[in-house]
Amino acid sequence: MPKFQRIKGTHDILPQDARKWRYVEGVVQEVMQRYNFDEIRTPIFEETALFARGIGQLTDIVSKEMYTFLDRGKKSLTLKPEGTAPVIRAFIEHSLGEKKPVHKLYYISPMFRQENPQAGRLRQFHQFGAELVGSAAPEADVETIALAVDIYEQLGLKKYTLKINSVGDATCRAPYKERLKDYLRPRLDKLCRSCQERFDKNPLRILDCKEEGCRAETAEAPLIIDHLCEDCHAHFEAVKSLLSRLGIAFEVDHRLVRGLDYYTRTAFEILSGALGAQNALGGGGRYDLLAEELGGKPTPSVGFAAGIERLLMVLEKENLLSDFDSGPDVFIATLGEEARRWAVQTARQLRQRGLRVDYDFLGRSLKAQMKEANRSGARFALIVGENELQARKVVLRNLSSSEQETVAIDSLVGELEARLGKPG
Ligand SMILES: [Zn+2]
Ligand SMILES: [Zn+2]
């Protein structure tokens, strides 16, 4: 039994999988760039109070899932459980709003939550996300939604659903909450325990409960969509009409709500049907009141975040991740001491020309080296012994066609580049 094992709820991403991660992250970066979003990297840990404020003291994340610890100076720190609060903290700290009015920022980062690994939950997981900071316009909501959709499209995903809703704003939500509570009060004892707790602090979240009983009790509940103020209504209509103009299909889901007061207007979620039951790939929405909550100036903003692990599972399921195993361009197989030294030198020379090159490190027989060359997936093998060196030529073998030819050492670089289709 090995002495050390990884912490439950964490994963090692081994080389074969790391290639898939790099591909997905590359697509994310490429699409972000097309939308002119710039990358921002914030620290892995922050002051605990930032998340208590920025996510909400009453949420499950803050009350039971954060990795919080005291450092040696007895300061309470927390490994970031989500990306938005740190981005807005950085936005305020660096007064980015004074440099230009609208900022479009994205991140790809590990996140940490102390969740139950038995339930398949990860304690270190990874997200990409984007925040459009500084605009209240419906175009900004549509920009982030289209961005998320285009990332999934670019990856080849077909089976997904976009759900949207509006959760109103400071003007219309308070009176709606009262109506909702009036409706729920006589049904309170039929709701699940968590919903009973939500009744005072967070009644909107009751609409979001997955329990059969709660869903039945709330089937006839008043909907926020019917109680939006004029501005929120106009905003929602504009978002829907712009999405339609872009040909982005959506469903309005009245149960899509967010618990915290600084979330405003548009909420959205993208679900995949590939994993059986519908699974959230990512979601987001408008949070016009968060910057103030974190001590900044009023800064209307909208964003989304999406999990990378679940996305990879879906892509795998849909067969959209094949062909990532590529080997070196060239494997150098040698016979004799002098040829081995030549291999070290030639490998570096070829690498400096941009070729991917490997050779044997175990002093194996030529036969074993050729086996290794094949296993490595290399496109070509260079076969060199004392005789070849003396004649200043090497054997070049195409490992997929098994064709062999003799090439002069002096023209080796050019010959290889020509066969690999690389510019000389
Ligand atoms: Zn419930
Ligand atoms: Zn409103």
Side-chain angles (χ1 to χ4, degrees):
M1 201 151 105
K3 197 162 181 189
F4 294 110
Q5 290 185 320
R6 62 185 194 272
I7 304 295
K8 276 206 175 76
T10 67
H11 274 314
D12 297 309
I13 302 171
L14 299 177
Q16 200 181 345
D17 288 328
R19 285 184 200 113
K20 299 172 184 171
W21 279 75
R22 229 170 29 225
Y23 160 70
V24 168
E25 289 166 358
V27 169
V28 169
Q29 282 163 337
E30 188 196 317
V31 179
M32 292 284 187
Q33 198 155 20
R34 284 187 219 159
Y35 275 78
N36 203 29
F37 275 69
D38 284 318
E39 190 182 14
I40 181 166
R41 300 188 187 199
T42 64
I44 289 294
F45 51 83
E46 299 268 0
E47 258 181 78
T48 301
L50 171 70
F51 298 115
R53 267 270 156 137
I55 305 173
Q57 199 78 59
L58 300 173
T59 57
D60 282 358
I61 298 176
V62 172
S63 60
K64 34 190 181 202
E65 292 170 0
M66 294 206 304
Y67 267 102
T68 297
F69 57 96
L70 292 180
D71 72 1
R72 287 171 194 273
K74 300 276 186 286
K75 197 176 172 78
S76 179
L77 303 177
T78 293
L79 301 183
K80 60 176 160 184
E82 61 94 45
T84 303
V87 168
I88 299 304
R89 194 263 312 135
F91 174 86
I92 297 167
E93 183 171 342
H94 299 281
S95 308
L96 295 185
E98 287 165 24
K99 292 173 180 121
K100 55 176 184 172
V102 173
H103 286 259
K104 298 162 78 173
L105 305 166
Y106 81 89
Y107 58 83
I108 301 177
S109 172
M111 305 289 172
F112 304 85
R113 290 184 201 173
Q114 199 150 355
E115 295 201 81
N116 181 7
Q118 268 76 40
R121 300 282 185 78
L122 289 172
R123 296 187 157 186
Q124 175 176 337
F125 57 101
H126 300 76
Q127 289 189 332
F128 59 90
E131 318 290 352
L132 195 158
V133 186
S135 169
E139 288 80 2
D141 306 48
V142 172
E143 176 92 339
T144 44
I145 295 172
L147 167 61
V149 164
D150 279 356
I151 288 172
Y152 295 127
E153 291 273 334
Q154 184 70 27
L155 288 164
L157 273 190
K158 297 274 177 278
K159 287 182 229 156
Y160 65 84
T161 312
L162 167 65
K163 294 192 168 178
I164 64 168
N165 195 19
S166 173
V167 296
D169 64 359
T171 310
C172 51
R173 193 158 44 210
Y176 166 71
K177 250 187 202 172
E178 288 314 312
R179 273 173 191 269
L180 180 63
K181 283 168 90 169
D182 289 345
Y183 169 87
L184 291 170
R185 203 167 284 114
R187 296 168 171 85
L188 207 50
D189 56 338
K190 298 206 181 94
L191 299 179
C192 76
R193 177 89 70 82
S194 329
C195 283
Q196 290 176 358
E197 281 172 25
R198 285 170 186 148
F199 181 76
D200 281 315
K201 317 183 290 207
N202 213 344
L204 259 70
R205 287 291 312 280
I206 295 176
L207 297 175
D208 184 36
C209 184
K210 305 285 180 269
E211 297 276 335
E212 204 67 47
C214 298
R215 289 189 93 87
E217 286 305 315
T218 54
E220 307 283 307
L223 301 172
I224 183 135
I225 210 79
D226 299 324
H227 296 89
L228 294 177
C229 66
E230 217 173 294
D231 288 350
C232 287
H233 178 75
H235 186 94
F236 194 50
E237 291 304 311
V239 168
K240 288 191 293 184
S241 110
L242 282 169
L243 286 174
S244 302
R245 247 186 127 102
L246 296 183
I248 296 176
F250 60 87
E251 290 171 16
V252 175
D253 180 352
H254 300 302
R255 289 188 183 267
L256 183 58
V257 294
R258 329 221 53 209
L260 298 166
D261 284 341
Y262 55 73
Y263 286 115
T264 49
R265 298 188 172 171
T266 313
F268 69 94
E269 204 167 45
I270 296 175
L271 300 122
S272 161
L275 299 173
Q278 287 219 322
N279 262 299
L281 282 170
R286 186 161 271 291
Y287 51 91
D288 289 348
L289 307 173
L290 177 61
E292 281 165 90
E293 187 72 27
L294 298 180
K297 296 189 183 121
T299 312
S301 305
V302 54
F304 78 91
I308 300 181
E309 279 86 356
R310 186 168 290 168
L311 173 58
L312 280 162
M313 263 161 69
V314 170
L315 293 172
E316 197 87 67
K317 187 101 198 274
E318 307 250 297
N319 274 323
L320 294 166
L321 285 178
S322 45
D323 295 334
F324 284 102
D325 287 309
S326 69
D329 295 319
V330 181
F331 190 99
I332 307 177
T334 59
L335 191 65
E337 270 310 303
E338 192 50 42
R340 285 182 68 181
R341 283 194 283 273
W342 180 87
V344 176
Q345 191 186 352
T346 305
R348 180 148 188 261
Q349 191 191 353
L350 295 175
R351 288 163 178 166
Q352 286 177 335
R353 300 284 301 194
L355 270 55
R356 182 171 161 188
V357 184
D358 213 348
Y359 54 90
D360 172 61
F361 289 93
L362 298 173
R364 283 176 283 191
S365 70
L366 188 58
K367 194 177 159 202
Q369 289 179 57
M370 288 308 292
K371 218 170 141 186
E372 176 65 31
N374 278 302
R375 182 169 46 206
S376 76
R379 291 177 63 188
F380 290 94
L382 277 183
I383 305 160
V384 196
E386 312 287 329
N387 295 341
E388 282 79 12
L389 284 184
Q390 263 168 25
R392 303 286 302 154
K393 56 186 193 188
V394 293
V395 174
L396 179 60
R397 183 181 173 90
N398 181 324
L399 291 174
S400 46
S401 69
S402 299
E403 280 165 34
Q404 259 181 218
E405 56 193 317
T406 304
V407 172
I409 284 179
D410 295 329
S411 52
L412 179 60
V413 175
E415 297 286 345
L416 271 173
E417 283 173 344
R419 281 163 185 73
L420 288 162
K422 305 212 175 188

